[in-house]
Amino acid sequence: MNDLFDMPSYLEHSFLGLVGLHLREALVPVLAGLVLALPLAQLCVRFRWLYPPVLWVTTVLYAIPSLAFFVVLIDYTGLSELTVMIPLAVYSLVVLVPAIVDGVRSVPQETLAAATAMGLGPVRRYLQVQLPIAAPAILAGLRVAAVSSISLVSVGMLIGNEGALGNMLDAGLKYNQPRLVWLSVISTAVLAILVDALLIVLRVWVTPWMPRGAGRGTRPVLAKGAAR
Amino acid sequence: MIRIDSVTKRYPDGTVAVDRLSLEIPDRSITVLVGPSGCGKTTTLRMINRMVEPSEGTILLDGVDIQQQPVNTLRRSMGYVIQNAGLFQHRTILDNIATVPRLLGWGKEKSRARARELMERVGLDGSLAKRYPYQLSGGQQQRVGVARALAADPPVLLMDEPFSAVDPVVRKGLQDELLRIQEELGKTIVFVTHDIDEAVKLGTMVAVMRTGGHLAQFAPPAELLTDPADAFVEDFLGADRGIRRLSFFSSAGLDLLIGPIVAVDASAEQIAAAGRAGAPYLLVVDTDGRPVGWGDPAELAAGAIDTDGLLSHGRPFTAGGDSLRAALDCAVLSPTGWAVAVDGEGRATGVVSQTSIGEAIRGAHAGRATAGTAQKVAP
Ligand SMILES: Nc1ncnc2c1ncn2[C@@H]1O[C@H](COP(=O)(O)OP(=O)(O)O)[C@@H](O)[C@H]1O
Ligand SMILES: [Mg+2]
């Protein structure tokens, strides 16, 4: 059993070490994307005319293949983690901005009118009403961003061994070790499923106010990120 | 007192929603703004809490221009209730109601205690406190909306078609509840509706508005029904305003006959005497005096009247408590054409014919009770 998870020394990490690295390379960009997406989305809600151009720019960014993105960045950030993480942050941003904008816009007019009439200013209205009600949509966006980010980290194996679990795939192919190939593919998939499940649990936990069963409608569509 | 002083609202697209409107809204009573859809009711209401700013004119609250105080301070001193309640779906019922107290810095415990008190006041079961809005019926949500508006005990309550989206039975319950709460609290309420019946039922004063944001008439409901200012108001009041106006006349003055009432165990002589009392049918009452049904005097068996063979007595009215409209309604619906009057305990106090009610109505119209002095009685 131990043999299965034994890592050759040139991978420089234990199996669990690779898992940790993979999570960091995948999820830090998602968080960074979220931090950037929140104010950007709020601007798009506030100034309606801003949303179409923002949507257009983000869609174009999304259309750049990840490998091309990495290669361009090597000139600036070298063969480092950052080269992998920056594109992932951009992809997360692209997924999260429309998710947040749609979520915030889905707040019913009468709810907003009631909040205004009770004397909640714009900041309170955003933090206490719009954001919490948009939470399910934001979490649905986070699921898409997290899962595609986890699968994309592996591509980093092509730029100086920055692919974490993906490095196993690279090594397995180079030294003809099918065990490493399978382990890489399966553990990446399992990681993605676990993180996704965790986000579902988080959603259920933060939205006790949603009708039971209504969450099924917010199942994210993965098609957009599938072709990387 | 809220004083709207020649206020005009022109929206950026040029729509004139309200046109030089002047209105004095009396304290501690319900003033209803009523009119067809799009006539500027919501705009008028929202100018009072500055959700809409007037293009011209001023609004004074107790003599002070509402522009004088910070807008959120003004809003927190005015409860606001809307159609579909507009509850915060992500907060429990208790926290919804506690919103304004929390904003005012009352502290969590005090705010929640206050919220519980209000749930009771608006007729919500305490067990609903920890529920979320989606778990409540439309009527219950609307009650939460009213409780939330009342939470910080604001002197003014603004209500925009609050009961329009619920079914008629629930709506009547909510209206009655509002009147009861108002009796206890004496708020200055501005109530918007497009339903003239609701306006007449709830309003101490009713402002009828016409499309384009003009005031067509501002009067107490009885005066509105008696003396509509113009053809528009008359048309808006509907075809049966004469009948509805009867809501404002008490049934206390009706000539009730007690002769035609017999007990289930009445003797032959009692039945015969009752038969000569002036009614074609006799009202049979049980041993407690509660009505059982109508019977033909020729067919009633002395000593033990067969109650199964009687005609239904229909819905009785409360003498004095109900209006002439209620009495007339009972008579119209009664199979015998006679209405049954009962006291507070439901015991029969007399019977009255349609003819006799008709005389009372003619008397009322002749000015025995004029519009100015008419007290609203339960319809
Ligand atoms: N924000 C707005 N911009 C432009 N026109 C508006 C706006 N709000 C309302 N109106 C127009 O003003 C008129 C009065 O609207 P409103 O006050 O909502 O009427 P009501 O509440 O009596 O139905 C309508 O013609 C409506 O279309
Ligand atoms: Mg309206």
Side-chain angles (χ1 to χ4, degrees), chain A residues 165-177:
Chain A
L165 289 171
N167 294 349
M168 282 197 293
L169 179 68
D170 190 40
L173 291 173
K174 260 193 205 136
Y175 304 109
N176 196 17
Q177 287 207 41

Side-chain angles (χ1 to χ4, degrees), chain B residues 11-18 35-44 160-161 192 211:
Chain B
Y11 281 111
D13 67 357
T15 311
V16 177
V18 175
S37 176
C39 71
K41 307 180 292 292
T42 297
T43 302
T44 305
D160 193 350
E161 310 223 8
V192 162
T211 310

Side-chain angles (χ1 to χ4, degrees), chain A residues 110 116-119 128 209, chain B residues 75-76 80 82 89-90 134:
Chain A
E110 55 245 38
T116 308
M118 278 187 284
Q128 295 182 12
W209 48 269
Chain B
R75 287 176 186 163
R76 287 171 202 169
Y80 188 72
I82 45 178
Q89 61 195 87
H90 61 295
Y134 83 89

Side-chain angles (χ1 to χ4, degrees), chain A residues 17-186:
Chain A
L18 285 177
V19 168
L21 194 63
H22 200 103
L23 280 177
R24 194 181 72 205
E25 283 187 34
L27 298 186
V28 168
V30 174
L31 282 184
L34 180 64
V35 168
L36 290 174
L38 282 170
L40 190 57
Q42 193 48 26
L43 282 176
C44 291
V45 171
R46 183 77 184 71
F47 306 102
R48 295 188 80 93
W49 56 267
L50 201 60
Y51 190 42
V54 165
L55 209 55
W56 187 80
V57 169
T58 57
T59 306
V60 168
L61 282 176
Y62 206 74
I64 303 173
S66 50
L67 197 53
F69 219 143
F70 292 148
V71 170
V72 169
L73 277 175
I74 287 176
D75 284 351
Y76 304 93
T77 50
L79 296 175
S80 68
E81 263 182 31
L82 211 53
T83 308
V84 178
M85 283 160 63
I86 289 175
L88 297 187
V90 171
Y91 292 143
S92 299
L93 181 76
V94 170
V95 172
L96 289 171
V97 166
I100 300 173
V101 170
D102 293 344
V104 168
R105 280 194 186 162
S106 75
V107 177
Q109 273 311 312
E110 55 245 38
T111 306
L112 278 183
T116 308
M118 278 187 284
L120 277 82
V123 175
R124 278 202 169 95
R125 220 154 49 216
Y126 178 64
L127 293 178
Q128 295 182 12
V129 180
Q130 292 175 306
L131 215 47
I133 292 178
I138 297 174
L139 279 162
L142 276 177
R143 285 173 63 192
V144 180
V147 168
S148 63
S149 197
I150 287 172
S151 77
L152 283 174
V153 164
S154 299
V155 183
M157 73 188 183
L158 299 173
I159 52 157
N161 267 357
E162 292 299 347
L165 289 171
N167 294 349
M168 282 197 293
L169 179 68
D170 190 40
L173 291 173
K174 260 193 205 136
Y175 304 109
N176 196 17
Q177 287 207 41
R179 173 181 69 99
L180 290 180
V181 174
W182 285 113
L183 194 58
S184 169
V185 171
I186 293 173

